[in-house]
């Protein structure tokens, strides 16, 4: 079944990659996880980012995980693969692989070892977005640089760049990006604790790690928001954040697992 980025909306888990006790990818566990979150009503999956332990894996291992999960999902929801590496050549290689194995789209943070200038960031995205014909989401980890509307307007001129995963607290900026770049430029909030704030500011969906664990609660929150039941959505958001606060007392990824 062919999926499109336009259906990549709602609550989207940044999927945990399951490993066995030997540190190998556990396909059987992945199937159980996927079947459960999909039944809850998620709007898609975001693979091999930080919650998916992508930076900890070798390139071939990451590609194996993406290929396996796309097979297991079998078109039930859209799948976006995070393909960033310090090396743009490796990122481009993984982008081509994501297209070959049937991903809906790809995404990448800027090079996370070096602090890039705006021109270097543009060149990086221009190179890896051209590696495949898949729609591309910029991963804006805004603690690394100061985002601006002008920056995203320029990046949006690159062919294939269709949106942004905005992982920052400044939802004023998130809203300005959505307003200035328009309906066709998709914007996703990447801060779990600010799910409702992101939606109010104009986000098309939310991508985060805790949606592996509490997708049902967050889906209920987002559905209430979309149906105009703001006060009821706020109660669900407060409940979700109470759970998050407990998880954050420990290392977040370990707590999820």
């Amino acid at each position: 079944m062919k999926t499109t980025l336009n259906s990549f909306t709602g609550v989207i888990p940044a999927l945990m990659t399951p490993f066995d006790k030997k540190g190998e990818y556990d396909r059987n566990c992945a199937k159980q996880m996927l079947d459960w979150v999909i039944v809850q009503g998620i709007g898609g999956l975001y693979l091999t980012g930080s919650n998916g332990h992508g930076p900890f894996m070798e390139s071939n291992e990451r590609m194996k995980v993406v290929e396996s999960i796309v097979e297991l999902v079998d078109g039930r929801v859209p799948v976006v693969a995070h393909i960033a590496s310090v090396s743009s050549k490796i990122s481009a290689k993984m982008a081509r692989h994501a297209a070959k194995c049937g991903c809906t789209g790809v995404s990448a943070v800027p090079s996370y070892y070096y602090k890039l200038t705006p021109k270097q960031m543009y060149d990086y995205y221009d190179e890896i977005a051209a590696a495949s014909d898949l729609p591309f989401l910029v991963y804006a980890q805004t603690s690394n640089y100061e985002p601006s509307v002008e920056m995203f307007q320029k990046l949006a001129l690159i062919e294939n760049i269709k949106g942004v995963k905005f992982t920052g607290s400044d939802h004023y900026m998130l809203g300005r990006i959505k307003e200035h770049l328009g309906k066709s430029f998709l914007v996703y909030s990447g801060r779990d604790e600010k799910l409702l704030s992101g939606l109010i500011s104009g986000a098309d969906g939310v991508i985060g790690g805790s949606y592996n664990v509490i997708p049902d609660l967050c889906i209920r929150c987002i559905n209430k928001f979309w149906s105009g039941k703001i006060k009821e959505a706020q109660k669900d958001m407060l409940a979700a954040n109470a759970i998050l606060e407990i998880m954050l007392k420990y290392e977040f990824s370990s707590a999820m697992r």
Side-chain angles (χ1 to χ4, degrees), residues 124-195:
Y124 171 78
Y125 281 122
D126 190 36
E127 179 179 349
I128 62 176
S132 80
D133 60 358
L134 289 177
F136 194 104
L137 299 178
V138 172
Y139 186 159
Q141 177 54 270
T142 63
S143 59
N144 297 337
Y145 55 88
E146 191 68 33
S148 67
V149 170
E150 292 75 20
M151 172 189 291
F152 289 101
Q153 284 176 325
K154 186 172 182 181
L155 289 174
L157 297 175
I158 298 172
E159 191 173 3
N160 296 339
I161 288 187
K162 303 300 181 184
V164 58
K165 177 182 184 286
F166 188 94
T167 303
S169 295
D170 187 354
H171 283 181
Y172 169 77
M173 177 57 63
L174 182 154
R176 298 299 285 168
I177 292 167
K178 183 63 182 178
E179 179 181 357
H180 282 275
L181 276 80
K183 186 177 180 180
S184 63
F185 190 82
L186 300 168
V187 175
Y188 302 89
S189 173
R191 294 297 292 263
D192 303 28
E193 76 280 11
K194 302 187 80 172
L195 177 155

Side-chain angles (χ1 to χ4, degrees), residues 221-243:
C221 177
I222 207 170
N223 286 341
K224 286 176 180 175
F225 170 78
W226 280 337
S227 63
K229 299 175 182 177
I230 308 300
K231 286 293 184 182
E232 292 184 31
Q234 186 181 32
K235 290 179 182 178
D236 287 333
M237 185 76 264
L238 292 172
N241 279 344
I243 296 169

